[in-house]
Amino acid sequence: KLISEKLALEDREGAERVFRTALTLFAGIGLTASLLLFWGADFIARSIIQMDGVQLTLRALSPSIFFVCISSVIRGYFLGHHTVSANNRSQLLEQIFKAALTVLFVMALSDFTAAVMAAGANAATAVSTALSCGYLVTVLVLHRRKNKTARPSGMTKGERRKICRQILSLSIPISLSSIITTVSRVIDTGTISRGIKAAFATGIPGETGIPTVARLEAYAVELNGMFTKADNITNLPLALNIAFATVLVPTISAALVKGDRKTAGQKISYSFLI
């Protein structure tokens, strides 16, 4: 959005400043979040969702946050330039790598426990996001060389802070829906795990005797695994809407900053129709 506005006003140096600031900001956020998830995996698994063994999966997935942050900034850069081909290819490659590597990793770990196999499947996701990010970085470097993108003049701390505030004031509200969805899943998982342990504390169907704490945890993991597959189809319409919105935002922003309310209105009406 911000890069699109700068380019609409032919402020290429300003667009470059936004990109460099965003890249630094989200690289820091991504690295911090990845480290927090990696080192906090035991606490999340055992104390929050009460599913011991999940920490392996969380650790395997943790590098993905950093690579997704970098990829998101580069995709924003290309969208701001009204170019979607690199983004489309990177997402297609990521999904192909995820599908292929998940199968390969799980097959390679088939002699190990289910927890290790699940971690391997999520390690495939981490590798896929890294490869997709690498592709985007390569395309970005070639794009900037081709267009002879110049390094902007030095920014003061005040200018950098202002851009950071603009980026965060836009990105946090937009991210809230995803954050709420994720938090609600964590709450659901933790609640269901506790509920299953309480409900079957005196006995598990088909088994004799009082189950141990370890058996109850394993049973909770089994039932939770089934539950998490039940609602994925409901995300499909939302995913389509997000895709349209992502592409339309830079166009609408560019039109508004130039005072072209007619074009902006047409695009907004079109997005509501979709």
Side-chain angles (χ1 to χ4, degrees), residues 97-173:
F97 282 130
K98 275 183 185 176
L101 292 177
T102 298
V103 173
L104 290 173
F105 281 28
V106 171
M107 286 177 65
L109 297 169
S110 59
D111 293 333
F112 293 85
T113 63
V116 173
M117 290 170 68
N122 282 274
T125 297
V127 173
S128 300
T129 55
L131 291 170
S132 174
C133 182
Y135 170 79
L136 282 168
V137 169
T138 303
V139 175
L140 177 72
V141 170
L142 294 174
H143 175 272
R144 290 160 72 81
R145 280 180 186 169
K146 181 181 177 182
N147 293 279
K148 297 178 181 178
T149 305
R151 182 185 289 272
S153 55
M155 281 186 289
T156 64
K157 287 185 178 179
E159 288 174 325
R160 194 173 283 109
R161 284 198 197 100
K162 182 182 178 182
I163 294 172
C164 284
R165 281 198 298 270
Q166 285 179 311
I167 292 168
L168 292 174
S169 67
L170 289 167
S171 60
I172 291 173

Side-chain angles (χ1 to χ4, degrees), residues 163-232:
I163 294 172
C164 284
R165 281 198 298 270
Q166 285 179 311
I167 292 168
L168 292 174
S169 67
L170 289 167
S171 60
I172 291 173
I174 290 170
S175 302
L176 278 177
S177 60
S178 298
I179 292 168
I180 290 167
T181 302
T182 304
V183 169
S184 69
R185 283 178 184 166
V186 172
I187 293 170
D188 282 350
T189 303
T191 304
I192 291 165
S193 295
R194 288 167 173 80
I196 290 168
K197 290 175 189 176
F200 299 104
T202 56
I204 294 173
E207 298 181 11
T208 57
I210 303 297
T212 62
V213 173
R215 179 64 190 108
L216 280 171
E217 285 183 354
Y219 193 59
V221 170
E222 289 169 21
L223 296 186
N224 252 316
M226 297 176 196
F227 173 77
T228 55
K229 301 298 178 189
D231 65 341
N232 289 350

Side-chain angles (χ1 to χ4, degrees), residues 1-4 6 13-31 65-78 140 144 152 155 159-171:
K1 179 184 184 298
L2 294 173
I3 287 174
S4 181
K6 297 290 185 185
E13 188 171 347
E16 187 64 16
R17 286 178 175 176
V18 169
F19 170 66
R20 286 175 177 270
T21 303
L23 194 60
T24 303
L25 175 64
F26 283 102
I29 291 172
L31 184 60
I65 303 174
F66 173 76
F67 293 115
V68 166
C69 282
I70 300 298
S71 296
S72 296
V73 174
I74 298 173
R75 284 171 180 155
Y77 175 86
F78 283 126
L140 177 72
R144 290 160 72 81
M155 281 186 289
E159 288 174 325
R160 194 173 283 109
R161 284 198 197 100
K162 182 182 178 182
I163 294 172
C164 284
R165 281 198 298 270
Q166 285 179 311
I167 292 168
L168 292 174
S169 67
L170 289 167
S171 60

Side-chain angles (χ1 to χ4, degrees), residues 45-65:
R46 291 171 181 163
S47 301
I48 297 179
I49 61 176
Q50 294 196 354
M51 292 171 68
D52 197 13
V54 174
Q55 56 266 47
L56 296 175
T57 294
L58 295 177
R59 288 198 179 100
L61 198 58
S62 60
S64 300
I65 303 174

